[in-house]
Each structure stands twice: as C-alpha cells, then as structure tokens.
Amino acid sequence: MRDAKPNKEKSPAKAASVERQAGVRRPDAARIPGSSVHASLASEIGLRIVRGDYPPGTILPNEAKWSETFSVSRSAVREAIKMLMAKSLLASRPKIGSWVEPKERWNLLDRDVLAWYATSPDREVFLKTVQEFRHIIEPEATAFAAMRRTDEQMAEISQACREMGGAASLQERTRADTRFHLAILRASGNDLLVPLGVLIESAFDHLFAYTTRAVDDLNHAQKLHEAIEKNIRLQRPDAARNAVRKLLANTDSVIRSR
C-alpha cells in the first residue's frame, strides 16, 4: 500500500542546496574521508599544510572557496579552521582571513599533526627527529621502569615482547612494538611521560613500520627487545638502559641505510 501522504520530490536545485547546508559532498567533489565532515576537512587541509602545499605565511582560500572545492557547508569550513587554529597551524583575523603559522608554532605533540607530518615529503627528517627524541627519553625511562615497574606492568611489557616475536605480519609486529615501548613509558612511574607516550604513538607507528621493513634479520631486532624486557624484569636499571641504547643504535643504522 502507498502511504497516505506521499513524499514530495525535491527539485535538483533544492536538493543541492540541502546537501550543501548539511555538509554533504557532491559525487564529483574531492573526497574527504571520515564520518565528521568538519574533522575530515580539517584533516585534509592540515595534511596539505604540513606537506608544504601551503607554506608558512600563505593566506588560505576563503570559506566560500573551501565550501565550493569540497562541497561542504560554510559552517563545516569554519569548524575545520577552528580545529587547525587550536593545533596552532593557522591564525585568523577578520578582513584578512586565515594564514599558515610558522612551523615552530605548530603543536607537533598533537596526534593529528604528528600523523600528517609523518606522511609528508619530509617524512625521513621527521622520523630522525622521532629517533632523537627516543635517545633523549627512552634510556632513562627504561632504567626507571626497571626500578619501579609493578607485576602488572611487567606482564604488559612481556606480553608485547612475545607478540612481537610471534607476529604474522608487519602490521601486527608494529602494533606490538609500539605497545612494548609505551608500556615501558608507563612503567617508568613518571606521570609526564604517560600522556607524552600517547601523543607520540602515531609517530612511533610510522617509525617502527619504516625501520622494520628495512631490517633483514628480524631475529636480531627481536633479541634486542628481549634483552630490554629481561633487564626490566630482573630489575637491572643500568643493564636496561644499555640494552635500549643498543636497540636505538641498531635503529639509527637502519635509518642511515635507507
């Protein structure tokens, strides 16, 4: 049976207007992945900024242009710009518009910015920066973990290490590798390292995937991780610190060889 009140068909022009107001993309518009239109738009613009499409100081297209380019509502554009301003990638002023901030002002500890940066043309430079960060943080964090870890934290570290060795794919190994190092940061007992570890998780993922692909002898890399796990378990801070330095030196050589 037909409904008592049949639906009225929208005219093409009206339908298009409704779609723009709701932030719906045209079929031929540039694709923005994700469920949240403004977040996905922020991701697309942010990636373009970080990879250098819009150098620092560049005045970005206005709301109307972005709206037309991606077939989204102006309100979605405004929310996307606000997100990028919160990450310090953009600044904005009435009658001038939005412009790209200098790189040194970017919030590189923001998870999204890290992810965009890690896939930019400067990826290798970024990964070396991540590696330098590891040299500064991980040896001492691991020594603290050897002194302070709880049984539950040790079980988490050991499990991640075992999963690395038994991984059936690069993706599984990378995830286990990341969990291993983040678990050590948590076991260090320093509250400042915990949120920092979460923020750099995406950067670690890219670094480990990059280096793991280049390592011919995964057994050697696994033994280096097992040495770290063993010395934390046996509560040997000096040996744990040295074990991490050996792992970092191995990763350094892999990066240099690429």
Side-chain angles (χ1 to χ4, degrees):
M1 293 179 63
R2 298 179 61 185
D3 295 336
K5 295 181 178 180
N7 293 329
K8 296 181 179 179
E9 294 184 359
K10 297 183 179 71
S11 67
K14 186 175 182 180
S17 175
V18 171
E19 285 182 353
R20 282 193 295 272
Q21 292 172 9
V24 178
R25 299 187 302 275
R26 297 190 313 269
D28 61 340
R31 182 177 181 274
I32 304 179
S35 57
S36 171
V37 174
H38 70 271
S40 298
L41 179 59
S43 181
E44 177 63 28
I45 298 174
L47 178 58
R48 294 183 181 194
I49 292 171
V50 172
R51 74 186 182 195
D53 292 4
Y54 301 108
T58 301
I59 302 294
L60 293 184
N62 59 28
E63 287 182 8
K65 184 62 178 177
W66 283 128
S67 180
E68 178 184 355
T69 299
F70 294 104
S71 190
V72 297
S73 66
R74 290 195 181 190
S75 62
V77 174
R78 283 192 293 272
E79 290 303 313
I81 296 301
K82 287 179 183 178
M83 289 182 64
L84 295 173
M85 290 175 62
K87 300 176 189 296
S88 299
L89 266 66
L90 295 180
S92 183
R93 187 173 298 171
K95 298 183 179 180
I96 297 179
S98 301
W99 65 89
V100 180
E101 287 278 64
K103 185 177 179 180
E104 58 267 22
R105 295 185 184 177
W106 298 354
N107 182 6
L108 292 179
L109 293 182
D110 179 273
R111 184 186 296 272
D112 292 332
V113 178
L114 281 170
W116 302 332
Y117 199 0
T119 58
S120 71
D122 290 335
R123 180 187 181 201
E124 291 187 26
V125 174
F126 172 66
L127 294 179
K128 289 177 182 177
T129 301
V130 173
Q131 186 68 359
E132 288 179 0
F133 173 86
R134 297 182 67 198
H135 275 282
I136 295 168
I137 298 296
E138 288 197 63
E140 295 307 316
T142 304
F144 279 123
M147 292 186 286
R148 300 172 176 175
R149 56 86 176 161
T150 65
D151 290 342
E152 292 78 9
Q153 289 169 335
M154 190 66 241
E156 184 180 10
I157 294 169
S158 298
Q159 180 178 351
C161 190
R162 287 193 301 271
E163 289 178 357
M164 280 183 62
S169 67
L170 172 64
Q171 185 178 39
E172 287 182 11
R173 182 180 176 83
T174 299
R175 288 176 178 173
D177 201 344
T178 301
R179 288 197 301 273
F180 177 81
H181 291 277
L182 293 182
I184 290 174
L185 291 183
R186 287 191 291 271
S188 71
N190 187 303
D191 291 341
L192 291 179
L193 290 179
V194 176
L196 188 59
V198 172
L199 287 170
I200 65 171
E201 183 175 354
S202 61
F204 272 18
D205 281 343
H206 285 88
L207 174 63
F208 295 148
Y210 178 83
T211 56
T212 299
R213 285 192 183 96
V215 175
D216 295 326
D217 186 4
L218 292 180
N219 289 330
H220 177 60
Q222 181 63 25
K223 287 178 181 178
L224 292 173
H225 284 82
E226 289 173 355
I228 296 170
E229 187 273 343
K230 177 181 178 180
N231 286 300
I232 295 175
R233 176 162 40 84
L234 297 178
Q235 297 185 300
R236 300 171 178 170
D238 290 336
R241 183 189 294 112
N242 290 332
V244 171
R245 286 175 176 159
K246 289 180 180 178
L247 174 65
L248 293 174
N250 181 70
T251 306
D252 288 342
S253 65
V254 172
I255 293 176
R256 285 195 298 269
S257 68
R258 291 305 298 266

